[in-house]
């Protein structure tokens, strides 16, 4: 299933941390610690995938963990579906067409898609910034029934058109896969080519991307990874979305090495002009044109996250440091996320204190976890924290931040080691004490 996931905030600390150290020379990167992190994730079946870090065009770290196919280990040459990172490719091609004078950002989409609701007032720019108000077809209750079957453009446009709009064009931001599917169709209309050919000609050929292409049915002979979910005992193969459906919103296959070449080529002016790139980075409610701001402490990166079926991906470029981090994955489990991996890899790269995750601890029942669920507040700080139960663990979410998983260290103590957070619960008093570094806060359930 194509999930409504784009770029996550890469430092979910509850308060501002200290400034990061200056960029470490490649020779001083603690590769052993980064290896230890991936080994822990592999041993505990938390993620399966491939990670690469590149500084100033030089690969400083590259490793794959987990299976490529059942019984076949992944390598750094394994190909993965990248989900919504495809949107950055689509936005790049749209902006190329703008540069060529074939398209205007303020053009109403009624010119090409007159049957879509509000087509006369929705512009190309609204689609790029997820501000169209169109219905997201992945929210269609029937989506899970047809996601594995081919769909034509006409059929998908009809599905989008059949539902009422969610808001007036430009009124607000709402991440929406329909926006980039429509943009994909627009690329095809203006280039007079299938999306796959436009991708090859406009991006892959220009940058020499040998392993980036429009996906089709998974082919193990091409070292294409199946997608998995860890069920507590084995990696279970997930359903396979038919690639006629996500199009330029999520249908591209690639590798971390090619994703790195793509975003570095984008920032080097090989795909669009610097002024156009600046437009792509201009944010509205945190989202640009196929790019999001992804901060890490005082550092600013730009990129995108992706998710489809069991695949997860992340791509971020830090211009000031000439650093790229790229991850393509095909296996997920409860209690950890790609966002956590990115935090850990960046913390290790920048020589920031970072405790390796520890997944040892007791297994709690649903009844035991339910005693901790609720919304908590503290008189010591304005932040509220919601505690939820999910898949035999707890998940916490602070006001305005992304949710993060907690690992049980005892029946009442939970940790989020990525951010150095410990929570000690008292189910009778309906409180927890939060510890992070030298800070200690008492939270009470409301």
């Amino acid at each position: 299933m194509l999930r409504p996931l784009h770029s996550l905030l890469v430092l979910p600390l509850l308060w501002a941390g200290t400034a990061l150290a200056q960029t470490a020379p490649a020779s001083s990167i603690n590769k052993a610690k980064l290896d230890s992190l991936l080994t822990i994730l592999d041993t505990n079946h938390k993620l399966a995938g491939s990670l690469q870090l590149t500084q100033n065009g030089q690969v400083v770290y590259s490793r794959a963990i987990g299976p490529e196919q059942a019984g076949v280990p992944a390598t750094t040459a394994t190909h993965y579906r990248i989900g919504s990172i495809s949107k950055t490719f689509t936005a790049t091609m749209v902006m190329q067409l703008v540069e060529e004078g074939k398209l205007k950002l303020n053009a109403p989409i009624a010119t090409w898609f007159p049957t879509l609701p509000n087509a006369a007032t929705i512009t190309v720019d609204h689609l790029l910034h997820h501000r169209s108000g169109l219905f997201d077809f992945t929210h269609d209750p029937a989506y899970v029934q047809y996601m594995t079957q081919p769909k034509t453009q006409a059929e998908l446009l009809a599905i989008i058109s059949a539902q009422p709009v969610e808001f007036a064009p430009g009124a607000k931001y709402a991440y929406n896969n329909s926006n980039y599917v429509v943009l994909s169709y627009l690329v095809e209309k203006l280039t007079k080519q299938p999306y796959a050919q436009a991708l090859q000609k406009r991006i892959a050929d220009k940058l020499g991307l040998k392993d980036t292409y429009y996906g089709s049915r998974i082919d193990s002979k091409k070292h294409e990874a199946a997608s998995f979910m860890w069920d507590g005992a084995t990696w279970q193969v997930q359903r396979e979305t038919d690639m006629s459906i996500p199009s330029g919103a999520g249908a591209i296959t690639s590798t971390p090495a090619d994703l790195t070449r793509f975003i570095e080529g984008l920032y080097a002016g090989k795909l669009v002009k610097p002024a156009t790139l600046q437009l792509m980075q201009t944010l509205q409610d945190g989202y640009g044109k196929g790019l999001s701001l992804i901060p890490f402490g005082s550092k600013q990166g730009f990129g995108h996250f992706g998710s489809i079926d069991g695949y997860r991906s992340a791509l971020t470029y830090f211009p000031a440091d000439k650093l790229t981090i790229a991850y393509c994955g095909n296996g997920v489990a409860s209690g950890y996320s790609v966002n956590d991996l990115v935090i850990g890899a960046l913390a290790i790269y920048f020589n920031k204190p970072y405790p390796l995750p520890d997944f040892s601890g007791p297994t709690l029942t649903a009844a035991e976890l339910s005693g901790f669920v609720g919304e908590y507040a503290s008189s010591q700080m304005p932040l509220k924290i919601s505690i939820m139960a999910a898949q035999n663990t707890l998940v916490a979410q602070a006001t305005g931040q992304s949710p993060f998983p907690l690992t049980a260290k005892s029946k009442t103590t939970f940790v989020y080691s990525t951010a150095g957070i410990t929570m000690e619960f008292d189910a009778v008093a309906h409180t927890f004490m939060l510890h992070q570094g030298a800070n200690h806060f008492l939270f009470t359930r409301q």
Side-chain angles (χ1 to χ4, degrees):
M1 181 174 182
L2 189 67
R3 301 179 188 278
L5 177 69
H6 54 103
S7 299
L8 303 179
L9 191 63
V10 180
L11 193 63
L13 301 185
L14 299 181
W15 43 86
T18 56
L20 298 178
Q22 295 299 309
T23 303
S27 60
S28 70
I29 294 171
N30 193 340
K31 294 181 181 179
K33 188 171 184 179
L34 198 44
D35 264 336
S36 295
L37 171 59
L38 267 69
T39 297
I40 289 169
L41 299 179
D42 192 22
T43 302
N44 290 277
H45 310 291
K46 292 300 181 182
L47 287 178
S50 181
L51 175 71
Q52 178 173 290
L53 278 75
T54 303
Q55 201 277 322
N56 200 23
Q58 299 297 312
V59 177
V60 296
Y61 187 83
S62 180
R63 183 182 171 187
I65 58 173
E68 175 179 289
Q69 294 280 336
V72 179
T75 72
T76 54
T78 298
H79 296 181
Y80 301 85
R81 291 183 177 178
I82 62 171
S84 288
I85 296 178
S86 302
K87 292 179 173 69
T88 309
F89 286 81
T90 300
T92 299
M93 289 191 283
V94 169
M95 297 308 291
Q96 287 175 338
L97 292 166
V98 171
E99 286 186 346
E100 294 163 14
K102 298 176 181 177
L103 183 63
K104 293 185 181 297
L105 292 174
N106 61 358
I109 63 172
T111 306
W112 307 278
F113 309 105
T115 62
L116 288 175
N118 281 347
T121 50
I122 294 174
T123 67
V124 173
D125 200 53
H126 287 145
L127 297 176
L128 286 164
H129 284 279
H130 292 297
R131 301 177 71 84
S132 71
L134 288 172
F135 171 72
D136 188 336
F137 68 90
T138 62
H139 296 165
D140 182 359
Y143 180 73
V144 293
Q145 276 75 54
Y146 67 69
M147 57 181 274
T148 61
Q149 304 301 316
K151 287 289 182 184
T152 65
Q153 288 190 17
E155 288 172 326
L156 275 171
L157 289 172
I159 290 170
I160 297 169
S161 300
Q163 300 293 333
V165 296
E166 298 178 355
F167 52 84
K172 66 177 183 178
Y173 163 87
Y175 188 83
N176 183 333
N177 290 294
S178 294
N179 292 323
Y180 275 76
V181 165
V182 173
L183 286 170
S184 306
Y185 299 163
L186 180 56
V187 167
E188 293 187 331
K189 287 179 180 292
L190 294 179
T191 62
K192 297 179 172 57
Q193 292 180 313
Y195 184 95
Q197 291 183 19
L199 173 68
Q200 186 68 38
K201 178 181 178 180
R202 291 178 165 271
I203 295 179
D205 287 349
K206 288 184 177 181
L207 300 178
L209 307 183
K210 305 296 186 183
D211 300 309
T212 299
Y213 49 89
Y214 193 102
S216 57
R217 297 296 297 178
I218 296 299
D219 186 349
S220 61
K221 295 179 182 178
K222 296 180 180 178
H223 294 287
E224 292 179 350
S227 72
F228 299 91
M229 181 77 72
W230 183 257
D231 68 357
T234 61
W235 286 112
Q236 294 290 330
V237 177
Q238 297 299 288
R239 297 176 72 194
E240 183 179 335
T241 299
D242 190 272
M243 291 293 96
S244 64
I245 295 174
S247 191
I252 294 177
T253 293
S254 191
T255 64
D258 261 17
L259 288 182
T260 297
R261 294 186 190 99
F262 163 64
I263 202 162
E264 290 179 352
L266 178 63
Y267 274 81
K270 296 179 180 180
L271 298 175
V272 296
K273 299 174 183 176
T276 300
L277 178 61
Q278 189 60 45
L279 284 176
M280 293 177 69
Q281 293 181 157
T282 302
L283 307 178
Q284 295 183 34
D285 295 313
Y287 195 90
K289 303 179 197 301
L291 288 171
S292 285
L293 174 66
I294 304 179
F296 183 76
S298 61
K299 297 184 178 294
Q300 291 192 338
F302 288 90
H304 216 290
F305 279 59
S307 175
I308 187 169
D309 303 328
Y311 303 94
R312 301 293 186 272
S313 55
L315 176 64
T316 307
Y317 180 69
F318 293 85
D321 299 285
K322 296 183 178 179
L323 169 69
T324 304
I325 180 168
Y327 174 82
C328 296
N330 63 324
V332 293
S334 63
Y336 203 78
S337 70
V338 174
N339 197 53
D340 297 327
L341 172 63
V342 172
I343 293 170
L346 289 173
I348 292 169
Y349 177 86
F350 287 117
N351 293 323
K352 185 177 177 66
Y354 171 73
L356 292 170
D358 178 3
F359 298 107
S360 61
T363 300
L364 278 73
T365 66
E368 289 172 319
L369 292 172
S370 67
F372 307 131
V373 171
E375 185 173 84
Y376 293 76
S378 174
S379 62
Q380 298 168 270
M381 61 188 303
L383 201 68
K384 292 185 178 180
I385 299 178
S386 295
I387 302 296
M388 301 156 281
Q391 296 183 322
N392 299 319
T393 189
L394 292 179
V395 175
Q397 184 169 21
T399 305
Q401 298 187 19
S402 299
F404 51 93
L406 299 173
T407 299
K409 305 310 293 181
S410 73
K411 292 287 187 177
T412 58
T413 301
F414 295 77
V415 301
Y416 179 52
S417 58
T418 304
I421 293 171
T422 298
M423 294 181 179
E424 296 177 343
F425 286 84
D426 185 332
V428 176
H430 305 301
T431 63
F432 69 76
M433 184 66 74
L434 187 148
H435 311 279
Q436 189 179 29
N439 300 287
H440 312 280
F441 299 92
L442 177 66
F443 280 78
T444 302
R445 191 163 71 188
Q446 295 184 310

